[in-house]
Amino acid sequence: EDGTVSAPGLAFASDLNTGIFRPGADQLNISTNGAERLSIGNTEVVFNDASNNVDFRVESNGNTHMLFVDGENDQVGIGTSSPSRLLDINNATHATLALTSGTSGQSSIFFADTDTNIGQISYAHSDNSLFFRVNDAERVRIDNSGRLLVGHSADIGNQSLQVVTSNGATAGLFKYGNNDDGSELTFFTSRNASKGSHTVVADGDYLGRIFFRGSDGSSFERGAEIAVRVDGTPGANDMPGRLEFYTTPDGSATPVEALRIDSSGRLLAGTTTAGNGGADDLTLATTGNTGITIRSGATSQGAIYFSDGTSGTAEYDGYIAYQQGSTSSTDYMTFATDANERMRIDASGNLFIGGTSAATADIALNANGEIVGKNQILINRVDSGSYILEGQNNGTQTSLITKTGDATFAG
């Protein structure tokens, strides 16, 4: 007799709904308490084919729940009797999962919905690289040298991090929070060969560098560089540093230092040697003519201020200013001391001392050679010379006024 799930053909006299029955050709099933537990057919072996709320457990030599199927919650545990995920691997020391393939094969985990490999994590044993696919395309790879390749699958620059795009690679550091902190990018340098250990760096050591490279048709050449180096002797809680900016001249592939900010805060352009100690905060140097241009807007002012304070007139005790006029004929330059204009040169070259025009100046030296004084003009010679004023015409003396008041006029 074949029997049924509730009355097995081979049953126990004291437990007639538990035993073995044959539901069809080439099938052998086992039931307990009138419920099917195991079905053995010629194409498959099924546990709990009737979807009853029954757990399945496999015990190993050292683990009572080496494999556990939670029938009520539809979850599978390895090493646990209470899996919390669809698959839960649990071990008190190390929970591991090994995917092993041949030496030239590939071990992979796929993430899919209706697609077969829309997402993927794979290890290629042929070149010992680990790569990640997103939206059915490789996005990130870690090669066998530990380089992180984003947007491509092969090393192209021998950098530890390589990001490749067709529209310009970008990176963003975002900070959100009601405090004064900001995002950071930090370069660390130690002379110790052991990772995480400290040995003091030395004067001139690089602390970090940023290179800007462009293709010359066959290789990537440096067009510019920003470097930070130790600028002095470092010690405990003491790390003097300088910033160096390099640019590559036309016709060259080697950057040269164009600008430096040293550990004293001095700015050096075109040189690595500061100027005289009395005026070394800004040093400019070239092999030809050297200068500074102050370009202001029309009818605006360009100025250099001399200050010994941070408020009031102390911010401009002395200054040199050039006022751009509405027309070039109305331009003028002024010189000030004690926060007051003392001298002015107008667009025609007239010099006014103690005033802003010929009418108001104490002394006006006009471009036509005229000297005009609002009051008397005093000429006082204090050395041993015998005359105080001499007139010449093309190097020939034409007039003379001596210290005693005598006057001589030629012709």
Side-chain angles (χ1 to χ4, degrees):
E1 180 178 334
D2 293 338
T4 65
V5 64
S6 59
L10 180 59
F12 298 91
S14 60
D15 193 0
L16 296 178
N17 62 357
T18 298
I20 302 173
F21 67 98
R22 178 180 174 274
D26 300 322
Q27 285 185 277
L28 180 65
N29 291 12
I30 297 176
S31 64
T32 64
N33 194 28
E36 180 186 307
R37 308 303 184 188
L38 179 65
S39 175
I40 303 174
N42 60 355
T43 59
E44 64 179 358
V45 176
V46 181
F47 172 77
N48 196 24
D49 189 37
S51 299
N52 295 307
N53 184 7
V54 177
D55 297 335
F56 177 83
R57 179 174 65 88
V58 176
E59 184 171 344
S60 68
N61 183 47
N63 196 321
T64 59
H65 293 79
M66 193 67 230
L67 175 64
F68 181 78
V69 178
D70 186 338
E72 179 181 4
N73 297 304
D74 299 325
Q75 295 172 333
V76 178
I78 297 177
T80 178
S81 60
S82 55
S84 58
R85 298 290 187 272
L86 190 61
L87 174 61
D88 189 343
I89 301 176
N90 192 293
N91 186 279
T93 305
H94 300 291
T96 60
L97 176 65
L99 304 177
T100 304
S101 64
T103 56
S104 59
Q106 183 173 292
S107 302
S108 303
I109 300 175
F110 294 93
F111 306 87
D113 38 36
T114 58
D115 306 285
T116 56
N117 61 342
I118 198 73
Q120 177 183 343
I121 301 174
S122 294
Y123 190 91
H125 296 278
S126 57
D127 62 2
N128 290 314
S129 64
L130 178 68
F131 63 90
F132 301 80
R133 294 174 62 90
V134 177
N135 197 22
D136 206 20
E138 181 175 330
R139 307 298 183 181
V140 177
R141 179 179 292 250
I142 303 173
D143 70 10
N144 55 19
S145 295
R147 293 176 289 237
L148 181 62
L149 316 177
V150 181
H152 66 118
S153 58
D155 170 51
I156 57 175
N158 198 32
Q159 278 76 38
S160 300
L161 171 63
Q162 301 174 33
V163 181
V164 177
T165 70
S166 58
N167 298 315
T170 61
L173 303 176
F174 298 86
K175 176 262 179 178
Y176 297 92
N178 186 20
N179 52 61
D180 60 358
D181 290 334
S183 301
E184 296 182 0
L185 180 63
T186 306
F187 299 81
F188 297 91
T189 301
S190 169
R191 277 185 168 256
N192 198 303
S194 299
K195 294 180 177 64
S197 299
H198 290 278
T199 295
V200 65
V201 292
D203 183 25
D205 282 2
Y206 285 102
L207 299 181
R209 303 168 83 178
I210 301 175
F211 296 101
F212 304 86
R213 297 178 181 266
S215 175
D216 65 357
S218 59
S219 62
F220 288 103
E221 301 297 336
R222 282 184 293 168
E225 172 188 345
I226 301 174
V228 177
R229 303 178 75 170
V230 180
D231 193 31
T233 302
N237 299 314
D238 178 18
M239 189 56 58
R242 67 174 180 260
L243 267 169
E244 299 173 351
F245 299 84
Y246 295 77
T247 57
T248 301
D250 190 20
S252 173
T254 304
V256 295
E257 185 175 334
L259 185 69
R260 170 182 297 199
I261 303 173
D262 69 12
S263 58
S264 298
R266 297 175 298 191
L267 181 63
L268 287 68
T271 181
T272 60
T273 303
N276 181 270
D280 62 351
D281 297 296
L282 170 63
T283 303
L284 307 180
T286 68
T287 57
N289 297 328
T290 305
I292 299 175
T293 297
I294 300 176
R295 181 176 290 115
S296 55
T299 70
S300 298
Q301 187 183 87
I304 300 175
Y305 282 23
F306 304 89
S307 168
D308 63 358
T310 58
S311 63
T313 58
E315 291 193 273
Y316 54 93
D317 278 337
Y319 62 82
I320 302 172
Y322 191 90
Q323 178 66 48
Q324 303 284 353
S326 57
T327 64
S328 59
S329 63
T330 57
D331 291 359
Y332 60 86
M333 176 175 283
T334 62
F335 301 81
T337 61
D338 195 26
N340 289 286
E341 181 178 336
R342 305 300 185 183
M343 186 170 69
R344 175 178 296 202
I345 303 174
D346 70 10
S348 298
N350 300 314
L351 174 65
F352 308 121
I353 301 174
T356 60
S357 67
T360 61
D362 293 332
I363 298 176
L365 305 178
N366 294 329
N368 61 10
E370 181 183 20
I371 302 176
V372 179
K374 186 168 60 175
N375 299 306
Q376 67 179 11
I377 299 175
L378 173 65
I379 301 175
N380 182 21
R381 183 166 184 173
V382 296
D383 64 6
S384 59
S386 60
Y387 54 87
I388 60 174
L389 185 63
E390 179 184 11
Q392 293 187 0
N393 182 15
N394 292 325
T396 300
Q397 187 183 84
T398 60
S399 59
L400 185 68
I401 300 176
T402 67
K403 292 175 65 174
T404 59
D406 296 328
T408 303
F409 299 95

